[in-house]
Amino acid sequence: MTVIDVRDLRKTYGSTVAADSVSLQVEAGEVVGILGPNGSGKTTTVECIAGLRRPDSGSVRVAGLDPAAERDQITRMVGVQLQQAGLQGKLTVREALDLYASFYDDPADGPALAESLGIGPKLDARYDNLSGGQKQRLAIALALIGRPRIALLDELTTGLDPRARRTVWGVIEQARDAGTTVVLVTHFMEEAQHLCDRLVLIADGRVVAEGSPRELIGSAGAPTTMTFTPSAPVRLDDLAQLPHV
Ligand code: ADP
């Protein structure tokens, strides 16, 4: 079943064309990654799906609804992690989780979610006193606290260290296993490969390629490059004799 259906989405800001003509579909239960260079229209597309922006033309349907027109129903089923969460500085992590949980009918357990994201010890810390990575993980917790049918996660793990990134991956996998459809924007190929069933590449406001991570990497035809620092001098000629090098 198609839960997100975007057709010929166009959105401009003055003379800037943010999304030129974006079309993409997401099936229920999928984890779809949106990749592309900065300024290519990824956030604009996600914001239109979330109902936070109204497209100039084209259509967006989320579970059959128009997110810009039917905000009430959309916010009940969609969890959103935006690049700048902008919570009030004096709010504690616990208060933020309680507040967001109160918006939903059947929310997850906030402290348990914080614990699984590695910010359990920060429940009583104020938002202003969190590190960038802790704020990022709180934003992910707030996106998932309502057990949303659909999670939209913009720049999921940008700014997180490798261990925190893997912790987040585990939480996203749990959400997927519980039935959440996930759309995430990422710049990390490893993350896309690990988490995503399907990738959508956006450039200059258009979808330029899509497919499974394996299909896309295969079609790029790029050779695999490994970089390493040897602990002792090596002769390059010896390496070149190895199969596949
Ligand atoms: P991405 O997420 O791929 O980096 P965005 O959707 O954020 O791309 O932005 C696409 C283009 O639209 C960029 O040129 C950006 O500067 C511009 N843009 C985004 N939001 C606004 C806005 N609120 N006002 C004006 N221009 C914007």
Side-chain angles (χ1 to χ4, degrees):
M1 192 184 67
T2 304
V3 286
I4 298 174
D5 190 2
V6 178
R7 290 179 195 255
D8 302 322
L9 166 69
R10 184 176 171 85
K11 176 74 188 172
T12 56
Y13 301 103
S15 59
T16 304
V17 180
D20 186 7
S21 176
V22 173
S23 295
L24 62 93
Q25 282 75 41
V26 178
E27 302 297 313
E30 269 193 311
V31 180
V32 170
I34 300 181
L35 292 101
N38 289 331
S40 57
K42 303 181 298 296
T43 295
T44 300
T45 300
V46 168
E47 289 177 345
C48 288
I49 295 171
L52 297 170
R53 292 198 188 278
R54 195 180 280 273
D56 297 349
S57 61
S59 79
V60 180
R61 288 288 174 274
V62 176
L65 303 170
D66 173 354
E70 286 149 305
R71 292 274 302 137
D72 273 8
Q73 290 183 66
I74 291 296
T75 47
R76 278 171 197 281
M77 68 172 111
V78 178
V80 188
Q81 173 213 358
L82 294 173
Q83 278 177 49
Q84 271 131 21
L87 288 170
Q88 289 189 348
K90 296 240 179 325
L91 214 58
T92 67
V93 168
R94 191 190 302 277
E95 287 166 345
L97 289 164
D98 283 349
L99 176 67
Y100 275 63
S102 73
F103 301 153
Y104 299 96
D105 298 330
D106 181 26
D109 179 319
L113 185 56
E115 190 66 44
S116 63
L117 284 161
I119 50 170
K122 292 285 166 187
L123 277 173
D124 295 311
R126 295 189 194 281
Y127 184 72
D128 266 351
N129 296 335
L130 299 178
S131 72
Q134 288 160 349
K135 285 180 178 164
Q136 176 97 347
R137 281 176 282 166
L138 175 58
I140 295 167
L142 297 179
L144 298 177
I145 187 87
R147 291 190 223 262
R149 198 168 142 196
I150 299 161
L152 305 173
L153 308 162
D154 197 359
E155 306 229 346
L156 179 67
T157 61
T158 303
L160 294 186
D161 65 48
R163 202 171 72 167
R165 186 168 294 153
R166 289 193 172 268
T167 305
V168 169
W169 291 356
V171 171
I172 299 302
E173 284 168 331
Q174 279 169 22
R176 176 205 58 203
D177 293 346
T180 300
T181 303
V182 180
V183 175
L184 58 93
V185 174
T186 181
H187 288 292
F188 300 105
M189 215 44 217
E190 193 194 356
E191 181 163 286
Q193 276 183 286
H194 185 93
L195 280 180
C196 299
D197 302 309
R198 207 153 53 77
L199 303 180
V200 174
L201 252 69
I202 294 188
D204 295 329
R206 285 172 175 267
V207 174
V208 292
E210 60 184 302
S212 68
R214 185 185 285 267
E215 281 164 359
L216 282 193
I217 292 164
S219 68
T224 305
T225 305
M226 285 178 65
T227 307
F228 56 90
T229 307
S231 54
V234 286
R235 288 183 28 200
L236 289 180
D237 288 350
D238 290 346
L239 289 182
Q241 307 299 321
L242 295 171
H244 306 302
V245 173

